Amino acid sequence: VDSNSMASAKMLSQIKGDLSKASGNLKRTTTKEANGELTKEDIDATAAIYDKEGAKLLDKLVNEYGVSRALIDSNPPVDGQDFAKKFLSGVYSADNSETAKASLRSQMKADLSKAAKGLKRTTTKEASGEPSKEEIDATAAIYNKEGSKLLE
C-alpha cells in the first residue's frame, strides 16, 4: 500500500470521527415553508429598520444592493409599515431583463432621433421598367466605343 492511499484512509477515518462527534451537538428543528404571504413579524421587523434608518436605508439599498432608485421614487414609502409591505412584496425589485430592455429601447430611440437629424429629404425615382432615352444613349455610346470587346 502506497503512502497516498494510507494518508487518504487516515483522513477519511478522521473526518468520520469528526462528523460523528459533531452530529451529537445537532438539534432537531422544524423547517418552515414560505407560502408567499407576509407575516406580521417580518413586516414589523423591516418597518423598525426603516423607522430607525429612514432615507439612509433607501440610499443603502440603492448603492449597495442595486435596488432601483426609479422604482423607489415612483412609489415612495409613506412610513415604515408601508415600506416594509412594498419592499417585502417586491415592489422595489426590478426584473433585470425588463429593465435592460427598457434601457435599450430608450437608448435606441435617442440614437435614432439623433441620426434622423442628419438625414436629408430626397425624392425616390420609380422605374417604369422601360429604359429612358438617356440610358439607351449611354449604353449605345459604350457599345460604339468598346464594340466587340464587350462580347469577349
Side-chain angles (χ1 to χ4, degrees):
V1 180
D2 65 8
S3 61
N4 283 339
S5 57
M6 284 179 46
S8 293
K10 182 178 178 182
M11 187 167 72
L12 184 60
S13 174
Q14 187 175 5
I15 290 172
K16 283 182 181 178
D18 291 346
L19 284 175
S20 182
K21 288 178 191 174
S23 68
N25 295 331
L26 296 177
K27 297 177 185 168
R28 180 145 316 272
T29 185
T30 311
T31 303
K32 293 181 185 178
E33 291 188 30
N35 60 5
E37 294 180 19
L38 303 177
T39 65
K40 181 169 177 18
E41 294 82 22
D42 291 340
I43 292 171
D44 289 344
T46 306
I49 295 169
Y50 178 82
D51 291 338
K52 180 181 176 190
E53 299 292 327
K56 289 191 307 186
L57 175 63
L58 298 179
D59 292 338
K60 187 173 188 175
L61 290 172
V62 170
N63 297 328
E64 295 182 26
Y65 299 103
V67 173
S68 169
R69 171 62 74 182
L71 289 175
I72 292 173
D73 291 345
S74 70
N75 199 350
V78 177
D79 58 20
Q81 290 287 314
D82 185 47
F83 168 77
K85 289 172 186 171
K86 289 176 180 176
F87 180 73
L88 295 173
S89 64
V91 171
Y92 300 137
S93 298
D95 178 352
N96 289 336
S97 64
E98 291 303 316
T99 303
K101 287 178 192 176
S103 176
L104 177 63
R105 281 189 205 101
S106 175
Q107 185 63 47
M108 287 177 66
K109 189 174 183 179
D111 290 348
L112 287 171
S113 179
K114 184 178 177 183
K117 291 177 184 175
L119 298 176
K120 295 188 298 184
R121 174 125 346 245
T122 186
T123 308
T124 304
K125 294 180 186 178
E126 290 189 35
S128 65
E130 297 293 321
S132 67
K133 174 149 178 38
E134 293 85 19
E135 292 171 327
I136 292 172
D137 291 344
T139 304
I142 293 170
Y143 182 79
N144 289 338
K145 182 179 177 189
E146 300 298 327
S148 63
K149 290 181 190 175
L150 293 173
L151 301 175
E152 294 175 355

